[in-house]
Amino acid sequence: MQELQVRVTQAQVEIIDREKFEQGINAVVTRYENYTVTAATIKEDKQVLADLRKLKKQISDERIKIKRELSQSADEFDGYIKTTSKPLDDAIDKIAQDVKEFEEHQKALRLDTVKSYIAKKSAEYMIDPRVFDGKIIEYLKATDFMADGVTLKKVTMKSLDDMVTFEYQKQQEFEQAKRMISGQCAEYGMNDQPYIRQLKELTVMEVLEQIKSDYLFEQEKQKMRQAQEERERILAAQRAKKQEQAQKSTETPKFDPETGEILEVDPIPHKELEAVRGAENAPKRYTQKMTLEIYFEDTAEKDLFKAGLTQLGFDFQRNYWVNGYRRLDQPVTQEELEAMNNRG
């Protein structure tokens, strides 16, 4: 093929009397450098601006004209080369497309070869070959195949064998780990699925430790729930006993000879009382004290008041005592109580 040979004649542009042109520009600039626009001369000012713009346009038009003449030959040359070399461009594009299609076909053949080999090897270990789909691309390079482009090299087959074997060992270890986790959960009566999912991030020993920790935590929570239920049962029994005693208050009451307090007819057994006290979280420390003077309409109302205190956690002779209890000789009305209070 004949190479392109071109003779270029450099075009030259000569500015006639360059110095005189520059002097003309400088003269105009000097004349109008400190030009001031005023209200009185605005009409003349606009004409000056128009004249200066006209001068600028004349210079610019001449520049564009000369540049167009200089670039005309370059544009003609560029168009000629593009038109003449178009068939060559078409031939290059066609061959490039054929090469691309061939390489894609070869890649597809290599992909089928690798997939077929992995499928056969996976069947020996009863492994789903799809687990290797993300790794196949690593074995599609031309250097992994013989000269024909589709036959695997021995070193490539060895690498694929090792990959399948490693996956088999990993799955066996995973199944063993699942059995260990399931056995531990079955022993503790726990669901194994959340812990099996943890194998993605933790070792089997770490998961087993987590199972044991969760089991002990649940056991402790169960003990706390049972203790709470026992406390509630004992307190409920105590309240029921108090209510029963209130219902029996119509019987002739027995008085404490020292304090005047009515003694319970059927007091809570000592062991049950100790159990109630033991059910409290911790011994209380009292920081305040208050003395009340309360008037009851009858014994039932007094017993109801005591039962209410018990429900609020105040028990007679544990965190409150009664001093000066007595029966009134004459009933006192509400008005008399208010009068007594006002006198105090």
Side-chain angles (χ1 to χ4, degrees):
M1 174 181 171
Q2 176 64 38
E3 295 182 358
L4 177 64
Q5 298 180 356
V6 179
R7 180 183 293 109
V8 180
T9 301
Q10 182 66 41
Q12 295 182 354
V13 178
E14 181 182 358
I15 299 177
I16 300 173
D17 205 348
R18 182 190 299 262
E19 182 178 353
K20 185 177 180 179
F21 175 72
E22 293 175 357
Q23 288 176 353
I25 295 293
N26 292 334
V28 173
V29 171
T30 301
R31 180 180 177 182
Y32 293 103
E33 185 174 10
N34 296 317
Y35 187 85
T36 302
V37 177
T38 66
T41 62
I42 186 61
K43 184 175 181 180
E44 293 79 3
D45 297 336
K46 289 183 178 179
Q47 185 59 49
V48 169
L49 178 60
D51 293 341
L52 291 175
R53 284 177 172 170
K54 182 178 180 181
L55 176 61
K56 170 65 178 178
K57 185 176 184 305
Q58 290 175 349
I59 297 173
S60 178
D61 290 347
E62 188 66 18
R63 176 185 62 79
I64 294 172
K65 175 185 174 183
I66 298 302
K67 184 177 179 181
R68 185 183 299 113
E69 292 177 356
L70 290 173
S71 62
Q72 183 175 358
S73 59
D75 294 339
E76 292 175 353
F77 173 75
D78 185 61
Y80 169 77
I81 293 299
K82 287 182 178 180
T83 302
T84 305
S85 62
K86 179 64 168 58
L88 177 60
D89 294 339
D90 294 340
I92 292 173
D93 292 342
K94 182 180 182 305
I95 295 174
Q97 182 63 29
D98 292 344
V99 169
K100 180 180 179 182
E101 292 177 357
F102 175 80
E103 290 180 342
E104 290 178 350
H105 178 68
Q106 287 296 104
K107 185 177 180 180
L109 291 177
R110 292 197 293 267
L111 178 62
D112 290 341
T113 300
V114 175
K115 279 189 172 183
S116 177
Y117 187 88
I118 290 178
K120 181 179 178 181
K121 197 68 180 177
S122 298
E124 298 177 8
Y125 293 93
M126 300 181 67
I127 298 176
D128 186 349
R130 290 176 295 182
V131 301
F132 303 106
D133 287 349
K135 301 178 181 178
I136 288 179
I137 193 173
E138 301 175 9
Y139 299 92
L140 300 182
K141 299 184 294 292
T143 53
D144 293 321
F145 294 81
M146 303 290 284
D148 60 3
V150 293
T151 304
L152 289 169
K153 290 182 178 180
K154 290 184 178 180
V155 65
T156 307
M157 289 188 286
K158 176 65 169 56
S159 180
L160 292 172
D161 291 347
D162 292 343
M163 182 178 69
V164 175
T165 302
F166 176 77
E167 179 63 26
Y168 172 76
Q169 293 175 347
K170 186 174 72 172
Q171 290 190 10
Q172 290 297 304
E173 292 173 356
F174 182 74
E175 291 299 322
Q176 182 179 4
K178 285 172 59 178
R179 289 192 292 270
M180 294 175 64
I181 290 173
S182 297
Q184 186 75 14
C185 289
E187 180 180 345
Y188 291 154
M190 301 168 65
N191 182 13
D192 61 355
Q193 291 305 309
Y195 298 101
I196 291 176
R197 288 193 291 270
Q198 291 182 9
L199 286 173
K200 295 179 180 180
E201 300 177 355
L202 304 177
T203 66
V204 62
M205 297 308 299
E206 289 173 335
V207 175
L208 292 175
E209 285 294 327
Q210 185 64 49
I211 293 173
K212 182 178 180 181
S213 176
D214 291 348
Y215 172 74
L216 294 177
F217 179 71
E218 287 297 325
Q219 289 295 106
E220 188 63 25
K221 285 174 58 179
Q222 180 64 22
K223 290 180 181 179
M224 293 176 63
R225 285 194 295 267
Q226 292 176 350
Q228 179 64 26
E229 291 173 358
E230 181 65 15
R231 285 194 296 269
E232 292 176 356
R233 186 191 66 79
I234 295 174
L235 292 174
Q238 182 186 22
R239 287 193 293 270
K241 182 68 68 175
K242 293 289 186 180
Q243 292 175 357
E244 181 182 353
Q245 293 171 357
Q247 294 174 357
K248 295 180 179 180
S249 61
T250 55
E251 300 177 1
T252 303
K254 297 180 179 180
F255 296 90
D256 187 312
E258 296 180 359
T259 65
E261 171 67 11
I262 296 178
L263 300 177
E264 285 105 358
V265 176
D266 187 13
I268 299 175
H270 179 72
K271 291 184 178 180
E272 184 174 346
L273 181 59
E274 290 297 320
V276 173
R277 292 173 176 173
E280 300 296 331
N281 292 331
K284 294 184 179 180
R285 295 182 180 274
Y286 301 97
T287 62
Q288 300 181 34
K289 174 184 177 181
M290 180 174 67
T291 302
L292 296 175
E293 183 174 289
I294 303 175
Y295 291 80
F296 300 108
E297 188 175 16
D298 53 26
T299 302
E301 189 177 53
K302 185 267 295 181
D303 291 339
L304 181 61
F305 177 78
K306 288 181 60 180
L309 287 177
T310 301
Q311 291 180 357
L312 295 174
F314 296 92
D315 295 327
F316 177 65
Q317 293 188 347
R318 182 174 69 87
N319 52 11
Y320 82 90
W321 283 260
V322 176
N323 294 317
Y325 177 83
R326 64 185 178 85
R327 290 182 178 274
L328 299 176
D329 297 332
Q330 292 289 337
V332 178
T333 65
Q334 183 64 42
E335 291 76 13
E336 290 173 336
L337 283 178
E338 292 175 357
M340 291 167 59
N341 181 54
N342 291 333
R343 289 197 299 271

